[in-house]
């Protein structure tokens, strides 16, 4: 199978990193981008082919690895081969818009997330009815190596972009700060990492498996952040709701 990426940014590194870790990188991978430094870095790390000319990208799968404003301009100027499945990795631009802009019916959309780089991703997708079963299997062969790959309604993809694609950024800085505090309080670095990692994994499993969430959340008598919880929840709600509404605005 041959795959191509139009754009060589973070999401390409996530996907190629996960495929490399799983030993599932296709033999023929092309990345095109206007930034020569980006291409050189990807060549060295993943041994892929590269090009600065994206107009003639081809492959069984052609991934559009661009942000929505740039993607809108690019899809108006590319003519994918008739048999290629064109896959957007961005929110906001619909499959219908892509089909009309490229005059190409075989399209799909995926919302990847960063844990895919260690094969623990959650990457929801949708695919046009005009795509074949073979197209769908090709797409699955890439993303099932990276983690969970649920098929969802297209209208929900922007919600997934907010919750699963951006979600790690809401948590990682907090885990980092807990590690730093653990070291300040006397643990060494490895002890801090083990403590925070084990606590976090256990807390998540308990949160989603214990049958009475309100009882679970009241099991710890001392809650140092109780007075800040409403403020923190308000930050989540205000920031993420505004971003979601922006993503759902029609083009």
């Amino acid at each position: 199978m041959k795959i191509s990426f139009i754009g060589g940014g973070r999401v390409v590194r996530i996907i190629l990193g996960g495929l490399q870790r799983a030993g599932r990188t296709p033999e023929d991978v092309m990345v095109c981008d206007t930034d020569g430094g980006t291409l050189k870095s990807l060549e060295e790390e993943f041994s892929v082919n590269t090009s600065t000319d994206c107009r003639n990208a081809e492959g069984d799968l052609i991934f559009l690895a661009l942000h929505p404003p740039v993607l809108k301009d690019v899809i108006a100027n590319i003519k994918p081969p008739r048999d290629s499945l064109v896959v957007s990795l961005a929110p906001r631009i619909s499959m219908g818009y892509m089909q009309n802009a490229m005059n190409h019916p075989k399209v799909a959309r995926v919302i990847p997330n960063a844990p895919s780089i260690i094969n623990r991703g959650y990457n929801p997708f949708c695919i046009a009815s005009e795509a074949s079963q073979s197209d769908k299997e090709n797409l699955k062969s890439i993303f099932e190596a990276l983690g969970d790959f649920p098929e969802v309604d297209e209208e929900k993809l922007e919600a997934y972009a907010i919750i699963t694609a951006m979600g790690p950024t809401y948590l990682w800085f907090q885990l980092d700060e807990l590690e730093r505090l653990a070291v300040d309080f006397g643990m060494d670095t490895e002890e801090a990492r083990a403590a925070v990692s084990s606590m976090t994994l256990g807390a998540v499993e308990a949160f989603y498996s214990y049958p009475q969430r309100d009882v679970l959340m009241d099991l710890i008598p001392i809650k140092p952040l109780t007075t800040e919880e409403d403020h923190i929840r308000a930050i989540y709600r205000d920031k993420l709701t505004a971003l979601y509404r922006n993503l759902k605005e029609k083009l």
Side-chain angles (χ1 to χ4, degrees):
M1 181 170 59
K2 179 177 182 177
I3 66 173
S4 293
F5 292 91
I6 297 179
R10 292 180 179 88
V11 71
V12 176
R13 187 170 298 278
I14 288 168
I15 292 171
L16 292 179
L19 290 173
Q20 184 180 73
R21 188 172 187 269
R24 297 280 294 277
T25 307
E27 289 187 6
D28 195 342
V29 179
M30 170 66 73
V31 182
C32 62
D33 195 283
T34 56
D35 187 327
T38 294
L39 296 180
K40 186 174 188 298
S41 175
L42 292 172
E43 287 174 5
E44 292 173 351
E45 187 168 355
F46 302 110
S47 301
V48 295
N49 302 309
T50 63
S51 174
T52 55
D53 184 359
C54 298
R55 291 171 297 178
N56 298 311
E58 58 182 28
D60 300 288
L61 301 173
I62 299 176
F63 291 103
L64 305 178
L66 301 163
H67 294 297
V70 179
L71 177 58
K72 185 180 176 183
D73 293 333
V74 167
I75 60 177
N77 293 294
I78 62 171
K79 301 297 179 186
R82 182 168 171 265
D83 292 334
S84 297
L85 179 68
V86 180
V87 185
S88 169
L89 302 176
R92 195 175 185 193
I93 295 179
S94 70
M95 290 193 295
Y97 188 99
M98 293 166 58
Q99 289 172 321
N100 290 332
M102 298 183 296
N103 190 27
H104 186 80
K106 295 177 38 162
V107 301
R109 294 178 62 197
V110 181
I111 301 293
N113 79 337
S116 298
I117 201 167
I118 62 159
N119 314 108
R120 291 295 302 274
Y122 194 85
N123 304 303
F125 80 102
C126 62
I127 190 166
S129 59
E130 293 88 347
S132 68
Q133 184 61 31
S134 177
D135 293 324
K136 192 171 186 177
E137 292 303 319
N138 283 339
L139 189 60
K140 284 185 174 182
S141 73
I142 297 297
F143 280 94
E144 286 185 342
L146 305 183
D148 293 335
F149 189 52
E151 186 170 6
V152 303
D153 294 337
E154 183 178 17
E155 65 181 18
K156 297 178 182 178
L157 285 183
E158 280 65 41
Y160 280 105
I162 300 293
I163 301 301
T164 61
M166 302 177 200
T169 69
Y170 316 146
L171 306 175
W172 282 343
F173 76 93
Q174 296 181 67
L175 301 180
D176 181 69
E177 186 61 23
L178 288 175
E179 277 192 21
R180 292 171 186 269
L181 286 170
V183 171
D184 289 346
F185 299 159
M187 296 184 198
D188 63 36
T189 299
E190 290 306 311
E191 289 172 330
R193 289 181 175 180
V196 173
S197 172
S198 183
M199 177 276 297
T200 303
L201 294 173
V204 169
E205 184 173 351
F207 190 74
Y208 287 104
S209 64
Y210 193 79
Q212 295 174 280
R213 187 171 289 182
D214 57 337
V215 172
L216 176 72
M217 294 175 71
D218 195 44
L219 290 177
I220 303 171
I222 300 174
K223 305 177 182 67
L225 301 184
T226 295
T227 58
E228 304 299 328
E229 283 185 10
D230 287 345
H231 178 57
I232 294 169
R233 288 177 183 270
I235 292 172
Y236 271 78
R237 185 163 294 275
D238 293 346
K239 295 286 187 182
L240 303 189
T241 300
L243 184 54
Y244 174 73
R245 287 173 177 166
N246 178 262
L247 289 180
K248 291 297 285 187
E249 287 180 359
K250 295 187 183 298
L251 289 169

